Amino acid sequence: MTYYNFIGAVSNIVIAAVGIGMLALPRAVAQSGWGGFAILLPLSSIIAYKTTHMIYKCMSDKFENNRSYDDIGACCIPSFGRIIVLIPILLDILGVCTLLLILAGSGFNKLFNITQLQGTTIFTFIILPFSWIPSLNEIGIISSFGLFALFIIIITIIIISINKDYTNPGITSKWPKDVETLGLSFSDFMNSYTIAPVMPTLFVGIRKTENVRTILITGLLIVTIIFGIVGACGYLGWGSTILEYDNLIDALTSDNGKSIYSIILRYGILVVCFCHFLVMFNPACIITESIIKKLFKNDREKYEELMNLKKKKNYNNLLITNNDYILNNNEDIWNNNEDILN
């Protein structure tokens, strides 16, 4: 098995967290105010660390046979824990990947003057071959390009926000208007730290000699710094008017993509969407493959037993085993025992 190095593991954590959730951060800051932002952002980071470290504990030491979310669920409730865990995880991953496709389609729409449906279709065909990458170890290499794109995006956001703040500063507030807006803001902050679906897959590939605590702290610290910069710059430049836009990119590219900054942002978001999609989609593929293997496990074992008996020329047991297989599966797979004997 191939293991992740430190940089690859941290890169996957950052790319898993920094995606579409980042675009809603200025809205979250506008709802919470500067005071709420200063409290809720680090609080969300701490909660994300605690929950992911709890997942790691469920996969280490005496629970080292747990290699996925469904294994953890089955360990807690053997009868139906696996199903309880799998359904929300797969739905969560499906929802995030769908939003990434829509966001990428919007980027193609603005850059190349095509419909969003055409842009989404093009992005899907581009990413399809890469979705067959077997593990997050290889995806970690691609994620490094996503980190570079993030760096460019952050620099561009800072430049645009400073220029906007200098020419037409937005109106900001220190505290949220009421408890409801504070709750909505906290929800946006927590949604931005959605890394849980990929963590079991990531933990499986980390060597036991690696310090998982250091990996988690480093990854989440980088994520928190990125979120802090994006949220603060967006709110500083637009103030409460940021709530009039669906997301930060729409506000930053309100010139309809004519400036060089808008073009850089659109291309940068496409690269981030590409990497984020791969990191989120890989665990779903692994879970699906695991389910298929478990569904056909008995068939495979029975087939291997038949082949071993044939190889040993144990014809009597071969006939008994073969007929038993057909009766149990109600399938006419080997109708003619004489063909097997021959």
Side-chain angles (χ1 to χ4, degrees):
M1 175 181 180
T2 15
Y3 291 96
Y4 316 128
N5 55 32
F6 180 84
I7 296 176
V10 171
S11 298
N12 280 328
I13 290 175
V14 174
I15 290 298
V18 182
I20 53 176
M22 175 185 70
L23 304 181
L25 284 174
R27 290 178 57 89
V29 181
Q31 291 170 331
S32 66
W34 290 116
F37 172 54
I39 296 171
L40 294 180
L41 182 65
L43 177 62
S44 302
S45 178
I46 292 170
I47 293 174
Y49 168 75
K50 287 294 184 181
T51 52
T52 50
H53 196 257
M54 286 172 64
I55 295 171
Y56 174 70
K57 285 184 177 180
C58 291
M59 301 179 65
S60 59
D61 300 331
K62 62 180 180 180
F63 304 111
E64 60 183 6
N65 290 329
N66 292 339
R67 302 178 66 84
S68 62
Y69 264 119
D70 53 314
D71 287 340
I72 297 173
C75 181
C76 296
I77 311 175
S79 53
F80 53 88
R82 194 180 298 276
I83 298 297
I84 291 177
V85 170
L86 278 178
I87 292 174
I89 287 295
L90 290 174
L91 288 176
D92 181 39
I93 294 174
L94 177 64
V96 172
C97 289
T98 302
L99 288 172
L100 287 169
L101 289 175
I102 294 172
L103 184 60
S106 175
F108 274 100
N109 166 249
K110 299 290 176 57
L111 283 170
F112 305 109
N113 197 26
I114 57 177
T115 65
Q116 181 156 336
L117 177 60
Q118 291 172 332
T120 304
T121 305
I122 291 171
F123 183 79
T124 302
F125 277 104
I126 291 174
I127 205 168
L128 182 61
F130 293 91
S131 64
W132 299 331
I133 295 175
S135 74
L136 285 177
N137 185 47
E138 291 81 5
I139 292 175
I141 300 172
I142 300 176
S143 296
S144 59
F145 293 98
L147 288 178
F148 178 74
L150 276 175
F151 176 76
I152 299 298
I153 289 172
I154 291 170
I155 296 298
T156 307
I157 288 174
I158 291 173
I159 293 173
I160 296 176
S161 299
I162 290 175
N163 290 337
K164 178 72 169 57
D165 181 49
Y166 180 76
T167 56
N168 186 22
I171 300 173
T172 62
S173 60
K174 292 181 179 180
W175 300 103
K177 292 188 298 183
D178 49 46
V179 176
E180 182 182 354
T181 54
L182 182 65
L184 290 172
S185 175
F186 182 57
S187 175
D188 285 336
F189 281 122
M190 287 304 303
N191 286 335
S192 299
Y193 282 95
T194 305
I195 58 175
V198 306
M199 295 316 294
T201 308
L202 183 66
F203 288 144
V204 167
I206 295 178
R207 290 185 180 89
K208 293 187 181 297
T209 54
E210 293 282 359
N211 191 329
V212 174
R213 187 186 296 270
T214 304
I215 290 173
L216 286 175
I217 291 174
T218 304
L220 289 172
L221 181 61
I222 294 172
V223 169
T224 304
I225 292 171
I226 292 172
F227 285 172
I229 293 172
V230 171
C233 287
Y235 189 44
L236 189 66
W238 277 262
S240 57
T241 59
I242 194 72
L243 297 172
E244 299 172 5
Y245 299 92
D246 290 334
N247 56 63
L248 177 61
I249 296 301
D250 288 343
L252 293 172
T253 58
S254 54
D255 58 356
N256 294 321
K258 295 178 182 178
S259 70
I260 184 64
Y261 296 125
S262 296
I263 295 172
I264 291 173
L265 279 174
R266 292 290 181 189
Y267 276 109
I269 288 295
L270 284 178
V271 174
V272 172
C273 284
F274 181 86
C275 298
H276 191 54
F277 185 95
L278 291 179
V279 171
M280 296 298 293
F281 194 66
N282 183 262
C285 294
I286 292 174
I287 291 171
T288 306
E289 183 180 358
S290 172
I291 293 171
I292 292 173
K293 283 181 178 179
K294 285 168 184 173
L295 287 174
F296 293 97
K297 181 180 179 181
N298 292 333
D299 287 352
R300 187 174 69 254
E301 290 176 350
K302 187 65 69 175
Y303 175 78
E304 290 173 355
E305 182 182 355
L306 287 168
M307 292 302 101
N308 288 332
L309 288 171
K310 181 180 177 182
K311 186 176 181 181
K312 295 176 181 178
K313 297 184 179 181
N314 191 339
Y315 297 129
N316 290 331
N317 289 336
L318 175 60
L319 289 172
I320 294 171
T321 307
N322 183 38
N323 288 327
D324 180 62
Y325 179 86
I326 296 171
L327 290 172
N328 288 338
N329 291 276
N330 295 318
E331 294 179 2
D332 194 14
I333 299 174
W334 289 291
N335 287 323
N336 194 343
N337 287 327
E338 293 180 358
D339 290 341
I340 298 179
L341 293 174
N342 294 330

